Amino acid sequence: MDYLLTLTDLTLQEFLILTVIVLLAGVVRGFSGFALSALVMATGVIILPPIALIPMLWWMEMAASLLMMKGGFADADKPTAFGLVIGSSLGWPVGLALTTTLPVETSKIIALSIIVTLALTQLAKIKLSFLATKPGLYGTGILAGIVSGLAHVGAMVVALYVLASDAPARSMRGSLVVFLFLGSLVSFFVQLAFGVMDLSGVTRGLVFAVPTAIGVMLGLKLFIPALERFYRPVCLGLLVGLAALSLIRTTIT
């Protein structure tokens, strides 16, 4: 145990708290197909600053993606997932460039407020028909990339787009899995280019990938046919809760 604490540069209490956080976040990721980074980012900041969590989360997301990719790729709406990845890749550099000119906290509050509003709109069963178009697909991807560069909540934007469709739960979940896997490959090079992917992030990421993987496997067991009809409302509720929690944390800090 002392070796792990030295390796991660954490106290025993910090290590145990982060382990519980990533385990539970892994369970959510295994069931929903997303929300791992958002959950850890919203709660893990009590231990580590966001800039230290970002590279660590890359390795955790990759571990989750590898566990879920086989079934996710088979179920996914591939054209949708690929279109979102292309758009996101174009939006990422724009978002990072804007961080030098726009207040990051203000940008994050705006992005999270939009997510809460749109998620509540979907829960109220109000159709957003423009999302079903090609411009809606690529526009959502670009917006997700920009928001990722500004506020690291791009996956929540993509989740909103996917959940707005009338696709089966397995297809929606699979599309999110494919997007996050391919998007992670892009973000790895972006993080390297901007010097975010450092040695401590790699070390912590590899250590906490283990409890993440355990959580994902538990979450996978929850995604059974009997519960699939609850997938969309649960995920939309999760988006509202995560965005609201992040908004509260952002506005009081």
Side-chain angles (χ1 to χ4, degrees):
M1 190 63 188
D2 289 338
Y3 175 72
L4 289 176
L5 296 180
T6 303
L7 203 60
T8 56
D9 193 24
L10 298 169
T11 66
L12 178 60
Q13 183 181 26
E14 290 171 339
F15 185 88
L16 293 176
I17 291 172
L18 270 178
T19 299
V20 172
I21 287 173
V22 303
L23 179 68
L24 294 176
V27 173
V28 174
R29 172 74 143 87
F31 176 79
S32 69
F34 73 104
L36 171 63
S37 291
L39 272 171
V40 176
M41 190 65 76
T43 53
V45 289
I46 62 175
I47 306 296
L48 293 169
I51 194 65
L53 288 171
I54 291 170
M56 168 181 153
L57 281 166
W58 187 90
W59 296 95
M60 293 160 55
E61 285 282 7
M62 184 54 65
S65 291
L66 290 174
L67 285 171
M68 300 182 70
M69 190 59 184
K70 184 178 179 180
F73 191 80
D75 295 332
D77 179 341
K78 280 108 179 151
T80 294
F82 295 157
L84 290 168
V85 170
I86 292 168
S88 179
S89 300
L90 296 173
W92 252 102
V94 177
L96 289 170
L98 288 174
T99 57
T100 61
T101 57
L102 296 177
V104 175
E105 293 304 310
T106 302
S107 302
K108 190 168 186 178
I109 289 171
I110 292 171
L112 290 168
S113 299
I114 291 171
I115 288 169
V116 170
T117 302
L118 291 177
L120 288 173
T121 299
Q122 289 195 40
L123 280 170
K125 298 184 178 179
I126 298 173
K127 293 289 290 182
L128 303 172
S129 56
F130 69 95
L131 292 178
T133 64
K134 284 289 183 183
L137 171 64
Y138 291 106
T140 299
I142 291 171
L143 178 62
I146 293 172
V147 170
S148 290
L150 280 171
H152 307 291
V153 292
M156 296 170 74
V157 174
V158 170
L160 273 172
Y161 176 87
V162 172
L163 292 168
S165 70
D166 293 322
R170 284 189 175 275
S171 177
M172 289 191 283
R173 179 171 172 265
S175 297
L176 285 168
V177 169
V178 172
F179 169 81
L180 285 171
F181 175 71
L182 296 178
S184 291
L185 298 179
V186 174
S187 69
F188 179 78
F189 293 104
V190 173
Q191 289 188 41
L192 276 180
F194 282 81
V196 176
M197 185 63 72
D198 57 10
L199 182 59
S200 63
V202 173
T203 303
R204 287 173 178 151
L206 291 173
V207 170
F208 286 104
V210 176
T212 300
I214 294 171
V216 169
M217 287 187 286
L218 292 173
L220 286 169
K221 292 184 181 299
L222 293 175
F223 193 77
I224 57 177
L227 296 179
E228 285 185 28
R229 61 194 178 97
F230 299 111
Y231 176 80
R232 189 171 183 275
V234 166
C235 289
L236 287 171
L238 179 64
L239 280 170
V240 172
L242 278 172
L245 176 63
S246 297
L247 267 175
I248 293 168
R249 185 177 60 77
T250 300
T251 53
I252 65 176
T253 56

